[in-house]
Amino acid sequence: NKKFYSFTCYKLSESFKKKFIDSFMQKNELTLTKEAYWYLVHNSANEYLLLESDLEKISVYKKEAITLDEIIKLLSNTSKLEFEELYFNSIVGKRSKIIGESERTIRSSSDAYMFLGVVKNFSKIFTKVNEKKPELSISILSKNYLPRYLFKQSANFELAIKKFNFEKIVAINKLLQKTELYLRKNDSNYVMIIQRFLLNFSRIVK
């Protein structure tokens, strides 16, 4: 859908962007210091998808008031699209490619949490897909459940539909829980933790 894709990549006006941020903060009950708030307004992405990615990173970092230093750390240059590409490459790629791409994509502990959020979202999607698998063809399932802006991943999504079953989804969800626990205990080792997750994830899927 060209109209949808152009909207997600469209540069937002400052007033719309500010309203979007305010709405997100209120909905997620997040509080920022005044300096942190204005830094977020002026330094977060101006494209819809990238701004959404920036805000989702902040949403996992809940505390009384997020400071300017914390916002600067949380605003990584990595976009949600890169995390989603890493996810699909972990389904179809080789071990060496997964390791190399994770080193380029996961640049902070907040990136690690954000990537796990992407994996959780796809686990929910594939749960719904598996419920409909007996009734619908793979191409229809892909059309119905793959987010439209990820149309370039349609072949990988269809391959994943063939590979995924409920047993694998349960195993992935258990792996997610363990990985989040490791990350909370030692987030300075975020790259190694995510790489271990990706290799185990790839083994489960295959």
Side-chain angles (χ1 to χ4, degrees), residues 96-113:
S96 57
K97 186 175 181 180
I98 293 169
I99 294 294
E101 191 173 346
S102 63
E103 287 174 351
R104 289 190 297 273
T105 306
I106 308 298
R107 301 165 189 154
S108 67
S109 58
S110 63
D111 281 352
Y113 282 113

Side-chain angles (χ1 to χ4, degrees), residues 53-61 74 76 78 83 111 114:
S53 175
D54 283 340
L55 294 175
E56 284 178 5
K57 290 176 197 174
I58 296 166
S59 72
V60 302
Y61 194 78
L74 287 166
S76 161
T78 310
F83 295 133
D111 281 352
M114 184 68 187

Side-chain angles (χ1 to χ4, degrees), residues 31-179:
T31 305
L32 275 67
T33 63
K34 185 177 179 181
E35 294 81 4
Y37 172 80
W38 286 111
Y39 183 90
L40 175 63
V41 170
H42 293 300
N43 292 279
S44 55
N46 290 318
E47 290 77 28
Y48 179 84
L49 276 180
L50 301 184
L51 175 60
E52 188 178 50
S53 175
D54 283 340
L55 294 175
E56 284 178 5
K57 290 176 197 174
I58 296 166
S59 72
V60 302
Y61 194 78
K62 293 194 175 182
K63 54 174 290 184
E64 282 187 21
I66 302 171
T67 66
L68 176 60
D69 286 344
E70 289 162 340
I71 280 291
I72 291 170
K73 277 192 212 172
L74 287 166
L75 287 183
S76 161
N77 290 325
T78 310
S79 76
K80 187 179 179 184
L81 290 172
E82 289 179 87
F83 295 133
E84 289 163 335
E85 187 172 346
L86 177 59
Y87 174 84
F88 282 109
N89 284 340
S90 299
I91 294 172
V92 301
K94 294 180 180 178
R95 179 189 175 97
S96 57
K97 186 175 181 180
I98 293 169
I99 294 294
E101 191 173 346
S102 63
E103 287 174 351
R104 289 190 297 273
T105 306
I106 308 298
R107 301 165 189 154
S108 67
S109 58
S110 63
D111 281 352
Y113 282 113
M114 184 68 187
F115 174 70
L116 294 180
V118 166
V119 178
K120 282 183 190 176
N121 184 54
F122 276 110
S123 286
K124 291 176 185 175
I125 289 172
F126 282 113
T127 298
K128 292 176 183 176
V129 166
N130 272 273
E131 288 170 354
K132 295 291 183 181
K133 227 175 180 179
E135 306 167 25
L136 302 172
S137 69
I138 288 175
S139 60
I140 294 296
L141 288 168
S142 179
K143 184 179 178 181
N144 289 353
Y145 290 99
L146 178 66
R148 291 181 182 177
Y149 66 89
L150 290 174
F151 62 91
K152 290 182 180 179
Q153 297 288 356
S154 58
N156 289 336
F157 189 79
E158 289 183 11
L159 178 63
I161 291 173
K162 293 175 185 175
K163 290 185 172 186
F164 275 70
N165 56 40
F166 287 119
E167 186 179 343
K168 289 181 179 180
I169 293 168
V170 169
I172 289 166
N173 288 339
K174 286 180 180 177
L175 180 61
L176 273 166
Q177 290 173 351
K178 286 182 182 178
T179 304

